[in-house]
Amino acid sequence: MSVSLHGRVLVLSLLLTGTAAFAADGSPKTATGNAAQVQSAQLQQRPGHAAIASANYLATNAGLEVLAKGGNAFDAAVAVASTLSVVEPESSGIGGGFMAVLHRAKDDHDVFIDARETAPAAVNPRDYLNPDGSPNRDTALKGPLSAGIPGEPAGLVLIAKRYGRLPLQQSLAPAIRTARDGFQPDARLRHSIAEEQQNIQRWPASVAKYLPDGKPPADGAIWRDPDQARTWELIAAHGDDGFYRGETAQKLVAAVRAAGGNWTLADLAGYQAKERTPIVVNYRGYRIVTAPPPSSGGVAIAEILNILSGFDLSKMDQAQRVHYIVEAMRRAFRDHNDYLGDPDFVKMPLDMLLSPYYADGLRQSILPDRATPSSMLPRAEAPEPGMHTTHFSIIDADGNMAAITSTVNYVMGSTFVAAGTGVLLNDEMDDFALVPNKPNVYGLLGSAANAPAPGKRMLSSMSPSIVIGADRTAVIGSPGGSTIITQVLEGILHFIDGESAQQIAAHKRFHHQYMPDEVMVEDGTFDPATSDALTKMGYALKQRESWGFMNVVTWDRKTNQLDAASDPRRPSGLGKVQ
Ligand code: GLY
């Protein structure tokens, strides 16, 4: 690579180390489409009807049922999330955590709900190493040591109490009924159980739940989960105490410790879901409200949009457009690896990372006609991005909005069910940088900022977002490990380009995450001429099977039309307008 690129990288390094007290507003300084910030006065409209898009039709219907009983978008969110715990346990649930961006219409209040898991007090980094010092991928991803203290129950109780209209008994009723009466597992759940069968077989309570006759449920079988129904009932009756104290807490701790884990009752009693200030970035006249740390998603999306705001993408051919987007992704993911962690533990240079001046420097380091090898932007390694987690989007009749991404991390989480609770524990500990500079399951690297510590939240890629324009609004998100960030980014760009909810959910995708230094490409994304042009610029294109499960709701305020779309890549999803 040329000396001039080296020079640019040196300039970039200086820009990176020189912190400055810039405003944490992502307003693009040199934006081609830098229209005025959307004023809240323009947003005071009611759609008069509602829309929900989620990964499973039973969950979407649960949300609509709660709206019909007088609930708002936030009550519906509680119903959708708790029902997903029952019908889509491979992706999210009661033993996991979530991140949410909520918009309350009556006072234009935006808030981020952090229901991310925390490390137990006895967390010990040596538990995630083999005797020879190499990373132990089994303890990081399977069994009770891989599980953080769950955040989903506390997060849902917080949403219901502070933002909902209905008591938990009503918003949790569909999940309790579905778990008690049973449902037919869809093909994706049956496939996930089969995929994880060997791990599930290691834990008796997991076998009892997922392999009832020694094998995954058959097509058409009715599947019941009375233990989970009872745990949700305790939460409905006692709020946080139904999970984090008393009977459920005792069963969770007993099961975890009996299987070699280290949770205590104090870990559970000490868990708190938190309200945080979301990240807001202005781009081409739209206000994008997205996830702050301990998600890396909002910081990366803001950084990418700030870099892109200096280009007029609409005047470029596809290859040129992809080139600039990938270079922006590359730079944002490098910062992800170096700086981000739990804001309660780590001081992060967010003013710098979100500053338009910082973006100016990054933009200048992009060559117009060729890729910048990631090795020229110091740091490194490789992955297989997993595709689990779930996202749903809601707009209610009053214009309240909920974007919620929820997870147990990898497929079927830890595969460990705590006996007597119906709670499948997450394997979120792998989202910490358990071994510095060694990739996690998504190939993401981490530094001290994301090292495990007692009570600390592990970094996430979850990027629930709300995009608010003068005429059109979108609630958007997706699962997909590290690809969540680029999926949501591309969805935002497509929405701003005028695409419908259906077009956004269906749009072909590409992804770059700094390391490995390759562009992951879904089949059919680029025509041969674009692939050829990108290859000539120095990009390694790697064809991958489809990824993501985007669920988008849009609201056109001129026509007052709501649209709800679930990713056509997965037939079990349902977007529905009521
Ligand atoms: N467990 C996936 C994420 O939070 O990014």
Side-chain angles (χ1 to χ4, degrees), residues 378-443:
R379 290 214 80 217
E381 285 202 35
E384 271 302 300
M387 299 303 163
H388 306 287
T389 303
T390 196
H391 174 87
F392 60 92
S393 298
I394 304 178
I395 299 181
D396 73 12
D398 291 323
N400 296 307
M401 302 176 211
I404 301 196
T405 312
S406 187
T407 188
V408 287
N409 197 25
Y410 212 65
V411 61
M412 304 293 303
S414 66
T415 66
F416 179 83
V417 172
T421 66
V423 177
L424 171 66
L425 299 186
N426 65 83
D427 59 348
E428 225 73 64
M429 294 298 285
D430 188 57
D431 276 349
F432 277 120
L434 292 172
V435 184
N437 297 321
K438 290 287 177 202
N440 75 355
V441 75
Y442 306 112

Coordinates of all heavy atoms in Angstrom, one line a residue, residues 378-443:
P378 N -4.5 0.1 12.7 CA -4.1 -0.8 13.8 C -5.2 -1.5 14.6 O -6.1 -0.9 15.0 CB -3.3 0.1 14.7 CG -3.1 1.4 14.0 CD -3.8 1.3 12.7
R379 N -5.0 -2.8 14.7 CA -5.8 -3.8 15.5 C -6.3 -5.0 14.7 O -6.3 -5.0 13.5 CB -7.0 -3.2 16.2 CG -6.5 -2.3 17.4 CD -7.5 -2.3 18.5 NE -7.3 -3.5 19.3 CZ -8.3 -4.1 19.9 NH1 -9.5 -3.8 19.6 NH2 -8.0 -5.1 20.7
A380 N -6.8 -6.2 15.4 CA -7.1 -7.4 14.5 C -7.8 -8.7 15.0 O -7.7 -9.0 16.1 CB -5.8 -7.8 13.9
E381 N -8.4 -9.6 14.1 CA -8.8 -11.0 14.0 C -10.1 -11.5 13.3 O -10.7 -10.6 12.7 CB -8.6 -11.7 15.3 CG -7.1 -11.9 15.6 CD -6.8 -12.9 16.6 OE1 -7.5 -13.9 16.6 OE2 -5.8 -12.7 17.3
A382 N -10.6 -12.7 13.4 CA -11.6 -13.3 12.5 C -12.8 -14.0 13.2 O -12.7 -14.5 14.3 CB -11.0 -14.3 11.6
P383 N -14.0 -14.2 12.5 CA -15.2 -14.8 13.1 C -16.1 -15.6 12.2 O -15.9 -15.8 11.0 CB -15.9 -13.5 13.4 CG -15.8 -12.7 12.1 CD -14.4 -13.1 11.6
E384 N -17.2 -16.0 12.8 CA -18.4 -16.5 12.1 C -19.6 -15.8 12.8 O -19.9 -16.1 13.9 CB -18.5 -18.0 12.4 CG -17.8 -18.9 11.3 CD -18.3 -18.6 9.9 OE1 -19.5 -18.8 9.6 OE2 -17.5 -18.2 9.1
P385 N -20.1 -14.8 12.1 CA -21.2 -14.1 12.8 C -22.4 -14.9 13.0 O -23.0 -15.4 12.1 CB -21.5 -12.9 12.0 CG -20.7 -13.0 10.7 CD -19.9 -14.3 10.8
G386 N -22.9 -15.1 14.2 CA -24.1 -15.9 14.6 C -25.3 -15.0 14.3 O -25.2 -13.8 14.2
M387 N -26.4 -15.6 14.2 CA -27.6 -14.9 13.7 C -28.8 -15.1 14.7 O -29.9 -15.3 14.3 CB -28.0 -15.4 12.3 CG -26.9 -15.2 11.3 SD -26.5 -13.5 11.2 CE -24.9 -13.6 10.4
H388 N -28.6 -14.9 16.0 CA -29.7 -15.1 16.9 C -30.1 -13.8 17.5 O -29.6 -12.8 17.0 CB -29.3 -16.2 17.8 CG -29.0 -17.4 16.9 ND1 -29.9 -18.1 16.3 CD2 -27.8 -17.9 16.5 CE1 -29.3 -19.0 15.5 NE2 -28.0 -18.9 15.6
T389 N -30.9 -13.8 18.5 CA -31.4 -12.6 19.1 C -32.7 -12.3 18.3 O -33.0 -12.9 17.3 CB -30.4 -11.4 19.0 OG1 -29.2 -11.7 19.7 CG2 -31.0 -10.1 19.5
T390 N -33.5 -11.3 18.8 CA -34.8 -11.0 18.1 C -35.1 -9.6 18.2 O -34.6 -8.9 19.1 CB -35.9 -11.9 18.7 OG1 -37.1 -11.9 17.8 CG2 -36.4 -11.4 20.0
H391 N -35.9 -9.0 17.3 CA -36.2 -7.6 17.4 C -37.7 -7.4 17.0 O -38.2 -8.1 16.1 CB -35.4 -6.7 16.4 CG -35.9 -5.3 16.4 ND1 -35.4 -4.4 17.3 CD2 -36.9 -4.7 15.7 CE1 -36.1 -3.3 17.1 NE2 -37.0 -3.4 16.1
F392 N -38.4 -6.5 17.7 CA -39.7 -6.2 17.3 C -39.9 -4.7 17.4 O -39.3 -4.0 18.1 CB -40.8 -6.9 18.1 CG -40.8 -6.7 19.6 CD1 -41.6 -5.8 20.1 CD2 -40.1 -7.5 20.4 CE1 -41.6 -5.6 21.5 CE2 -40.1 -7.4 21.8 CZ -40.9 -6.4 22.3
S393 N -40.9 -4.2 16.6 CA -41.2 -2.8 16.4 C -42.7 -2.5 16.6 O -43.5 -3.3 16.1 CB -40.7 -2.3 15.1 OG -39.3 -2.4 14.9
I394 N -43.0 -1.5 17.3 CA -44.4 -1.2 17.5 C -44.7 0.4 17.4 O -43.9 1.2 17.9 CB -44.9 -1.6 19.0 CG1 -44.6 -3.0 19.2 CG2 -46.3 -1.2 19.2 CD1 -44.9 -3.5 20.7
I395 N -45.8 0.7 16.8 CA -46.3 2.1 16.9 C -47.8 1.9 17.3 O -48.5 1.1 16.7 CB -46.2 2.8 15.5 CG1 -44.8 3.0 15.1 CG2 -46.9 4.2 15.7 CD1 -44.6 3.8 13.8
D396 N -48.2 2.7 18.3 CA -49.7 2.5 18.7 C -50.5 3.7 18.1 O -49.9 4.6 17.5 CB -49.8 2.3 20.2 CG -49.5 3.6 21.0 OD1 -49.4 4.7 20.4 OD2 -49.4 3.5 22.2
A397 N -51.8 3.7 18.4 CA -52.7 4.7 17.8 C -52.3 6.1 18.3 O -52.7 7.1 17.6 CB -54.1 4.4 18.3
D398 N -51.7 6.3 19.4 CA -51.3 7.6 19.9 C -50.0 8.1 19.4 O -49.5 9.2 19.7 CB -51.3 7.7 21.4 CG -52.7 7.5 22.0 OD1 -53.6 8.1 21.4 OD2 -52.9 6.8 23.0
G399 N -49.3 7.2 18.7 CA -47.9 7.6 18.2 C -46.8 7.2 19.1 O -45.7 7.6 18.9
N400 N -47.1 6.5 20.2 CA -46.1 5.9 21.0 C -45.3 4.9 20.2 O -45.9 4.2 19.4 CB -46.6 5.2 22.3 CG -47.3 6.2 23.2 OD1 -46.8 7.2 23.6 ND2 -48.6 5.9 23.5
M401 N -44.0 4.7 20.5 CA -43.2 3.8 19.7 C -42.3 3.0 20.6 O -41.8 3.5 21.5 CB -42.4 4.5 18.7 CG -43.2 5.4 17.7 SD -42.1 6.3 16.6 CE -43.1 7.7 16.4
A402 N -42.1 1.7 20.2 CA -41.2 0.9 20.9 C -40.3 0.1 19.9 O -40.9 -0.6 19.1 CB -41.9 -0.1 21.9
A403 N -39.0 0.2 20.0 CA -38.1 -0.6 19.3 C -37.3 -1.4 20.3 O -36.6 -0.9 21.1 CB -37.1 0.3 18.5
I404 N -37.5 -2.7 20.2 CA -36.9 -3.6 21.3 C -36.1 -4.7 20.6 O -36.7 -5.5 19.8 CB -38.0 -4.1 22.2 CG1 -38.7 -2.9 22.9 CG2 -37.4 -5.0 23.3 CD1 -39.5 -3.2 24.1
T405 N -34.9 -4.8 21.0 CA -34.1 -6.0 20.6 C -33.7 -6.8 21.8 O -33.3 -6.2 22.8 CB -32.8 -5.5 19.9 OG1 -33.1 -4.5 18.9 CG2 -32.1 -6.7 19.2
S406 N -34.0 -8.1 21.8 CA -33.9 -8.9 23.0 C -33.1 -10.2 22.6 O -33.2 -10.7 21.5 CB -35.4 -9.3 23.3 OG -35.4 -9.9 24.6
T407 N -32.5 -10.7 23.6 CA -31.5 -11.8 23.3 C -31.2 -12.7 24.5 O -31.3 -12.3 25.6 CB -30.2 -11.2 22.8 OG1 -29.4 -12.3 22.3 CG2 -29.4 -10.5 23.8
V408 N -30.9 -14.0 24.1 CA -30.2 -14.9 25.0 C -28.8 -15.1 24.5 O -28.1 -16.0 24.9 CB -31.0 -16.2 25.3 CG1 -32.2 -16.0 26.1 CG2 -31.3 -16.9 23.9
N409 N -28.4 -14.3 23.5 CA -27.1 -14.4 22.8 C -27.2 -15.5 21.8 O -28.1 -15.6 20.9 CB -25.9 -14.6 23.7 CG -24.6 -14.2 23.0 OD1 -24.7 -13.5 22.0 ND2 -23.5 -14.8 23.4
Y410 N -26.3 -16.5 21.8 CA -26.2 -17.5 20.7 C -27.4 -18.4 20.7 O -28.2 -18.4 21.6 CB -24.9 -18.3 20.8 CG -24.4 -18.6 19.4 CD1 -24.0 -17.7 18.5 CD2 -24.3 -20.0 19.0 CE1 -23.5 -18.0 17.3 CE2 -23.9 -20.3 17.7 CZ -23.5 -19.3 16.9 OH -23.1 -19.6 15.6
V411 N -27.5 -19.2 19.6 CA -28.8 -20.0 19.5 C -29.0 -20.8 20.7 O -28.1 -21.5 21.2 CB -28.7 -20.9 18.2 CG1 -27.5 -21.8 18.2 CG2 -30.0 -21.6 18.0
M412 N -30.2 -20.7 21.3 CA -30.6 -21.4 22.5 C -29.7 -21.0 23.7 O -29.6 -21.7 24.7 CB -30.5 -23.0 22.4 CG -31.3 -23.6 21.3 SD -33.1 -23.5 21.4 CE -33.4 -24.3 22.9
G413 N -29.1 -19.8 23.7 CA -28.3 -19.3 24.8 C -27.3 -20.3 25.3 O -26.6 -21.0 24.6
S414 N -27.3 -20.5 26.7 CA -26.4 -21.4 27.3 C -26.8 -22.9 27.1 O -26.1 -23.8 27.5 CB -26.3 -21.1 28.8 OG -27.5 -21.4 29.4
T415 N -28.0 -23.1 26.6 CA -28.7 -24.4 26.6 C -29.0 -24.9 28.0 O -29.5 -26.0 28.1 CB -28.0 -25.5 25.8 OG1 -26.7 -25.8 26.4 CG2 -27.7 -25.0 24.3
F416 N -28.8 -24.1 29.0 CA -29.0 -24.6 30.4 C -30.3 -24.0 30.9 O -30.5 -22.8 31.0 CB -27.8 -24.1 31.3 CG -28.0 -24.5 32.7 CD1 -27.6 -25.8 33.1 CD2 -28.5 -23.6 33.6 CE1 -27.7 -26.1 34.5 CE2 -28.6 -24.0 35.0 CZ -28.2 -25.2 35.4
V417 N -31.2 -24.9 31.3 CA -32.5 -24.5 31.9 C -32.4 -24.8 33.4 O -31.9 -25.8 33.9 CB -33.7 -25.4 31.3 CG1 -34.9 -25.1 32.1 CG2 -33.8 -25.1 29.8
A418 N -32.7 -23.8 34.2 CA -32.7 -23.9 35.7 C -34.0 -24.7 36.1 O -35.1 -24.3 35.9 CB -32.7 -22.5 36.3
A419 N -33.7 -25.8 36.7 CA -34.8 -26.8 37.0 C -35.9 -26.1 37.8 O -35.7 -25.3 38.7 CB -34.3 -27.9 37.8
G420 N -37.2 -26.3 37.4 CA -38.3 -25.9 38.2 C -38.7 -24.4 37.8 O -39.7 -23.9 38.4
T421 N -38.0 -23.8 36.9 CA -38.3 -22.4 36.6 C -38.8 -22.1 35.2 O -39.3 -21.1 34.9 CB -37.1 -21.4 36.8 OG1 -36.1 -21.8 35.8 CG2 -36.5 -21.6 38.2
G422 N -38.4 -23.1 34.3 CA -38.7 -22.8 32.9 C -37.8 -21.8 32.3 O -38.0 -21.3 31.1
V423 N -36.7 -21.4 33.0 CA -35.9 -20.3 32.6 C -34.7 -20.8 31.8 O -33.8 -21.5 32.4 CB -35.4 -19.4 33.8 CG1 -34.4 -18.3 33.3 CG2 -36.6 -18.8 34.4
L424 N -34.6 -20.6 30.5 CA -33.4 -20.9 29.7 C -32.4 -19.8 29.9 O -32.7 -18.6 29.6 CB -33.8 -21.1 28.3 CG -32.6 -21.2 27.3 CD1 -31.9 -22.5 27.5 CD2 -33.1 -21.1 25.8
L425 N -31.2 -20.1 30.4 CA -30.3 -19.0 30.7 C -29.5 -18.6 29.4 O -29.3 -19.4 28.6 CB -29.3 -19.4 31.8 CG -29.8 -19.8 33.1 CD1 -28.7 -20.1 34.1 CD2 -30.7 -18.6 33.7
N426 N -29.2 -17.3 29.4 CA -28.4 -16.8 28.3 C -27.0 -17.3 28.3 O -26.5 -17.8 29.3 CB -28.4 -15.2 28.4 CG -27.7 -14.8 29.7 OD1 -26.5 -14.7 29.7 ND2 -28.4 -14.6 30.8
D427 N -26.2 -17.0 27.2 CA -24.8 -17.2 27.3 C -24.1 -15.8 26.9 O -23.2 -15.8 26.1 CB -24.3 -18.3 26.4 CG -24.7 -18.2 24.9 OD1 -25.5 -17.3 24.6 OD2 -24.1 -18.9 24.1
E428 N -24.6 -14.8 27.6 CA -24.1 -13.4 27.3 C -22.7 -13.1 27.8 O -22.1 -12.1 27.3 CB -25.1 -12.4 27.9 CG -25.5 -11.3 27.0 CD -26.5 -11.8 25.9 OE1 -27.6 -12.2 26.2 OE2 -26.1 -11.7 24.8
M429 N -22.1 -14.0 28.7 CA -20.8 -13.7 29.2 C -19.8 -13.7 28.0 O -18.8 -13.0 28.1 CB -20.4 -14.7 30.2 CG -21.2 -14.7 31.5 SD -21.0 -13.1 32.4 CE -19.4 -13.3 33.1
D430 N -20.1 -14.4 26.9 CA -19.2 -14.4 25.7 C -19.2 -13.0 25.1 O -18.3 -12.7 24.2 CB -19.7 -15.4 24.7 CG -18.7 -15.6 23.6 OD1 -17.5 -15.9 23.9 OD2 -19.0 -15.4 22.4
D431 N -20.1 -12.1 25.4 CA -20.0 -10.8 24.8 C -19.0 -9.9 25.5 O -18.8 -8.7 25.1 CB -21.4 -10.1 24.8 CG -22.2 -10.5 23.6 OD1 -21.7 -11.1 22.6 OD2 -23.4 -10.2 23.5
F432 N -18.5 -10.3 26.7 CA -17.4 -9.6 27.3 C -16.1 -10.0 26.5 O -16.1 -11.0 25.8 CB -17.1 -10.1 28.7 CG -18.0 -9.5 29.8 CD1 -18.8 -10.3 30.6 CD2 -17.9 -8.1 30.0 CE1 -19.6 -9.7 31.5 CE2 -18.7 -7.5 31.0 CZ -19.5 -8.3 31.8
A433 N -15.1 -9.2 26.6 CA -13.8 -9.6 26.0 C -13.2 -10.5 27.1 O -12.4 -10.0 27.9 CB -12.9 -8.3 25.8
L434 N -13.6 -11.8 27.1 CA -13.2 -12.7 28.2 C -11.7 -12.9 28.1 O -11.0 -13.0 29.2 CB -13.9 -14.0 28.0 CG -15.4 -14.0 28.3 CD1 -16.1 -15.3 28.0 CD2 -15.7 -13.6 29.8
V435 N -11.1 -12.9 26.9 CA -9.7 -13.0 26.7 C -9.3 -11.8 25.8 O -9.8 -11.8 24.7 CB -9.3 -14.3 26.1 CG1 -7.8 -14.4 26.0 CG2 -9.9 -15.5 26.8
P436 N -8.6 -10.9 26.3 CA -8.3 -9.6 25.5 C -7.8 -10.0 24.1 O -6.9 -10.8 24.0 CB -7.3 -8.9 26.4 CG -7.4 -9.4 27.8 CD -7.9 -10.8 27.6
N437 N -8.4 -9.3 23.2 CA -8.0 -9.4 21.8 C -8.1 -10.8 21.1 O -7.6 -11.1 20.1 CB -6.5 -8.9 21.6 CG -6.4 -7.4 22.0 OD1 -7.4 -6.7 21.6 ND2 -5.4 -7.1 22.7
K438 N -9.0 -11.6 21.8 CA -9.4 -12.9 21.1 C -10.8 -12.7 20.7 O -11.6 -12.2 21.5 CB -9.2 -14.1 22.1 CG -7.8 -14.4 22.4 CD -7.1 -15.1 21.2 CE -5.7 -15.4 21.5 NZ -4.9 -15.5 20.3
P439 N -11.2 -13.1 19.5 CA -12.6 -12.9 19.1 C -13.6 -13.6 19.8 O -13.4 -14.8 20.3 CB -12.5 -13.3 17.6 CG -11.4 -14.2 17.5 CD -10.4 -13.8 18.5
N440 N -14.8 -13.0 20.0 CA -15.9 -13.8 20.6 C -16.7 -14.5 19.4 O -16.2 -14.6 18.3 CB -16.9 -12.8 21.4 CG -17.7 -11.9 20.5 OD1 -17.6 -11.9 19.3 ND2 -18.6 -11.2 21.1
V441 N -17.9 -15.0 19.7 CA -18.5 -15.8 18.7 C -18.9 -15.0 17.5 O -19.1 -15.6 16.4 CB -19.8 -16.5 19.3 CG1 -20.9 -15.6 19.5 CG2 -20.2 -17.7 18.5
Y442 N -19.0 -13.7 17.6 CA -19.3 -12.9 16.4 C -18.0 -12.3 15.8 O -18.1 -11.4 14.9 CB -20.2 -11.7 16.8 CG -21.4 -12.2 17.5 CD1 -21.7 -12.0 18.8 CD2 -22.4 -13.0 16.8 CE1 -22.8 -12.5 19.5 CE2 -23.5 -13.5 17.4 CZ -23.7 -13.2 18.8 OH -24.8 -13.7 19.4
G443 N -16.8 -12.8 16.3 CA -15.6 -12.3 15.7 C -15.2 -10.9 16.2 O -14.3 -10.3 15.7

